Amino acid sequence: MWCLVSQANSVILEVQVDPKAIGQECLEKACDCLGVSKECDYFGLKYQNAKGEELWLNLRNPIERQTGGGVAPLRFALRVKFWVPPHLLLQEATRHQFYLHSRLELVEGRLKVSDWGSVARLVALIAQADGGDYDALSPPHALYSQCCHIQPTEPCEPKPQDFLLRIIQQHKEIKGMKTSTAEYWLLKEISNLDTFGQEMFHSKFGQYNGVSVIGVGPHGITVYRSQDEETQNIPYTAIQSATSQRRMFHLVYLSLDGEETSLDFKLDSSQSASGLYRAITEKHAFYSCETVRSAVTAQFIRDLKGTIISIFNEDSTLGKKYVFDIRRTCREVYDNARRALYCEAATIVLPEENEILDRHACGECENPKCKESRECLARLLDAMLCRICMDRSLDTALFPCGHAVACLDCARRCERCPLCRANIDYCRTIYLPIELTHIDKHNPKLLSETIEPVFSKPLAEQIKERILGGETPVNNNI
């Protein structure tokens, strides 16, 4: 069975799944194509029912049972289901999908911004992410006009007459910003909005109790009433119970005074009412809980045929339909993605040492990268030499200033630090990595064939001094 999965930028992916496959299989194949397989828990698939309503596909249930079979190929929309701030996203491909969805939400007016200044900044970031730096010869006016649908939440003042000039100025100020950086900062901007991550449930029965929209977000429920009344925020901790029956949704919560209060909300269909009930449970578990409880993951219902069979066999899976579609919480998704990316990086086979030497043994290659690498290596080797004699490697720190600029012999002859001119009370031997202590400054290769380094004094005497002299007084000439 073929499924067409559309991204937020209208690009369509073709995914082939088994006719009896569950939704998770279709989502994982789409995420594999986009490179977001490690963080696919943030996403979901949406479809339209017979009434034209957009509903989330339950990824734990078979696709055919939810879509009613439908006409092949089935069409789904890949969308962000659980919104998180961009710093929690580990893959750049995941941030790109978040950007595409947020851009669509802004342009279509579902995501409101605070003021006109924020609108100009967001439009400039979208223009930078989609078209690059501002070009005066071919300005992206078509992109500007497309983004002009972005509106503030409550425009207390009319649209500025120089609004286009403000956008152009904002676009010029971020010249040179990479596409990925512009996408990140746009997500950072919208993550501070009040409606960030909210899933809206509308009703045409607003006159029923004055409630026209209910938003379910990361922190709780927002009730949008008529224009004369203020919005009401109900945190998850205040919710006592939530149920749905046909088109009615019933909520019991504690008010600010600690009194038990109820809210009834009539939706356009029974599927919308069930979707609101599921959204509250799933988002509460995802954002507020340490782990998803088994009472949530194991809750299911059966159809008529499955109910009859289960009377005789309780373990039967016939007609079994899971209610909630959530496997991990926000913390578990983040930890699981980090672990998966770490294991993926650890499985990369590193080349052998002789392969590296052969690959970089280019002699006096005039390649700019090779030349720059040789210069960096030369500066590193010079930095490891004594600043006084420029012959032996530095191996002594001067105190109390703590500077390490000399070898042991030169440090004994100094009364003041050559770098800061502070008095020296004592000097102490430091031990650099072995790779840096046996280096010939004229040949930047490890002298693996050298038996022992060259000392200005006999080797035994040097070793004796280093063992016995943890702290060497200054001017202690031997």
Side-chain angles (χ1 to χ4, degrees):
M1 179 176 65
W2 285 95
C3 299
L4 300 180
V5 181
S6 62
Q7 304 177 57
N9 59 352
S10 301
V11 177
I12 297 177
L13 304 172
E14 292 185 356
V15 177
Q16 187 176 14
V17 295
D18 187 83
K20 297 184 179 180
I22 61 175
Q24 185 68 31
E25 182 179 343
C26 182
L27 176 66
E28 288 179 353
K29 288 190 175 182
C31 290
D32 285 337
C33 296
L34 299 172
V36 296
S37 57
K38 306 297 186 298
E39 297 175 305
C40 65
D41 293 271
Y42 295 124
F43 300 94
L45 297 175
K46 275 192 170 183
Y47 71 100
Q48 285 189 348
N49 62 2
K51 296 182 179 180
E53 297 175 320
E54 285 192 346
L55 304 173
W56 288 107
L57 184 73
N58 193 313
L59 304 178
R60 303 176 65 196
N61 295 327
I63 297 175
E64 285 188 334
R65 292 186 188 177
Q66 303 175 70
T67 60
V71 180
L74 299 177
R75 288 169 170 80
F76 300 107
L78 179 69
R79 295 294 183 265
V80 179
K81 187 175 184 180
F82 299 106
W83 291 84
V84 294
H87 64 270
L88 294 180
L89 303 176
L90 302 177
Q91 294 180 284
E92 186 173 328
T94 307
R95 284 194 293 271
H96 180 64
Q97 293 300 320
F98 268 65
Y99 163 76
L100 293 179
H101 192 179
S102 60
R103 184 187 187 281
L104 181 65
E105 295 286 308
L106 287 168
V107 171
E108 294 186 352
R110 289 189 291 269
L111 194 59
K112 300 293 185 180
V113 191
S114 57
D115 51 36
W116 289 110
S118 300
V119 173
R121 187 163 53 253
L122 290 177
V123 173
L125 288 171
I126 292 174
Q128 183 71 19
D130 290 1
D133 295 339
Y134 178 80
D135 186 1
L137 298 178
S138 58
H141 290 306
L143 188 59
Y144 293 157
S145 60
Q146 181 186 3
C147 296
C148 282
H149 295 86
I150 303 175
Q151 299 288 330
T153 308
E154 296 179 358
C156 54
E157 58 182 12
K159 188 175 182 179
Q161 296 182 354
D162 61 341
F163 184 63
L164 182 59
L165 295 177
R166 294 187 185 184
I167 296 176
I168 294 175
Q169 182 62 31
Q170 293 277 356
H171 196 177
K172 289 180 179 179
E173 290 178 358
I174 58 177
K175 180 180 179 181
M177 181 180 288
K178 296 191 298 184
T179 298
S180 58
T181 307
E183 293 177 356
Y184 176 89
W185 283 111
L186 183 131
L187 293 174
K188 194 71 174 177
E189 287 278 343
I190 69 168
S191 65
N192 298 322
L193 301 179
D194 296 334
T195 55
F196 175 73
Q198 282 192 0
E199 184 178 354
M200 299 298 182
F201 293 86
H202 301 264
S203 173
K204 60 185 178 183
F205 303 98
Q207 69 278 6
Y208 181 77
N209 57 356
V211 179
S212 58
V213 181
I214 287 183
V216 184
H219 306 292
I221 300 173
T222 304
V223 181
Y224 297 90
R225 302 182 183 274
S226 59
Q227 295 181 356
D228 300 334
E229 300 183 28
E230 296 182 354
T231 59
Q232 179 184 4
N233 295 317
I234 305 174
Y236 288 122
T237 53
I239 297 176
Q240 299 295 304
S241 64
T243 56
S244 66
Q245 186 176 9
R246 295 184 179 178
R247 291 190 294 176
M248 291 299 301
F249 172 77
H250 182 70
L251 179 71
V252 179
Y253 64 96
L254 295 179
S255 63
L256 296 176
D257 301 330
E259 298 181 358
E260 193 172 276
T261 311
S262 63
L263 173 67
D264 292 318
F265 186 58
K266 188 175 182 180
L267 290 101
D268 300 342
S269 66
S270 59
Q271 286 182 310
S272 297
S274 300
L276 175 56
Y277 168 65
R278 288 196 302 269
I280 293 175
T281 304
E282 291 172 1
K283 290 186 184 295
H284 171 254
F286 185 82
Y287 292 108
S288 304
C289 300
E290 293 287 343
T291 185
V292 184
R293 298 180 180 178
S294 58
V296 174
T297 57
Q299 188 171 342
F300 65 91
I301 56 176
R302 294 183 188 272
D303 57 20
L304 179 61
K305 186 178 179 180
T307 303
I308 296 174
I309 296 297
S310 63
I311 295 175
F312 304 98
N313 182 10
E314 295 181 357
D315 298 330
S316 173
T317 59
L318 185 64
K320 192 174 182 180
K321 181 180 177 182
Y322 288 101
V323 177
F324 301 110
D325 178 22
I326 183 171
R327 297 183 303 163
R328 299 185 180 96
T329 64
C330 179
R331 293 172 184 145
E332 289 175 334
V333 173
Y334 179 76
D335 292 340
N336 183 71
R338 284 193 62 183
R339 191 178 300 110
L341 291 173
Y342 176 80
C343 294
E344 185 180 81
T347 56
I348 298 177
V349 179
L350 296 177
E352 297 293 335
E353 183 178 358
N354 55 357
E355 295 180 5
I356 298 176
L357 294 176
D358 293 340
R359 188 183 305 167
H360 295 282
C362 52
E364 298 298 327
C365 178
E366 295 300 326
N367 190 316
K369 292 186 177 180
C370 295
K371 193 173 182 180
E372 183 181 356
S373 299
R374 289 197 301 270
E375 292 176 356
C376 291
L377 179 59
R379 288 196 297 269
L380 175 63
L381 298 178
D382 287 340
M384 292 297 104
L385 294 177
C386 173
R387 298 289 93 187
I388 300 175
C389 67
M390 296 300 293
D391 185 41
R392 291 180 291 271
S393 60
L394 59 87
D395 58 1
T396 305
L398 310 177
F399 290 93
C401 66
H403 289 127
V405 293
C407 62
L408 182 63
D409 289 344
C410 294
R412 286 174 169 173
R413 298 186 180 94
C414 296
E415 295 182 357
R416 293 184 180 181
C417 174
L419 190 63
C420 65
R421 309 305 297 169
N423 292 329
I424 302 175
D425 293 341
Y426 62 93
C427 54
R428 178 173 294 173
T429 302
I430 59 175
Y431 301 96
L432 298 176
I434 188 68
E435 291 83 358
L436 297 176
T437 56
H438 297 168
I439 292 178
D440 183 0
K441 67 176 181 177
H442 302 294
N443 185 11
K445 291 184 179 180
L446 297 181
L447 300 181
S448 57
E449 299 176 357
T450 305
I451 298 176
E452 63 180 30
V454 179
F455 292 91
S456 59
K457 297 182 180 182
L459 177 62
E461 188 175 349
Q462 289 276 347
I463 296 175
K464 181 178 179 181
E465 288 179 2
R466 297 193 179 211
I467 295 176
L468 299 179
E471 293 185 1
T472 308
V474 296
N475 299 329
N476 183 18
N477 297 325
I478 299 179

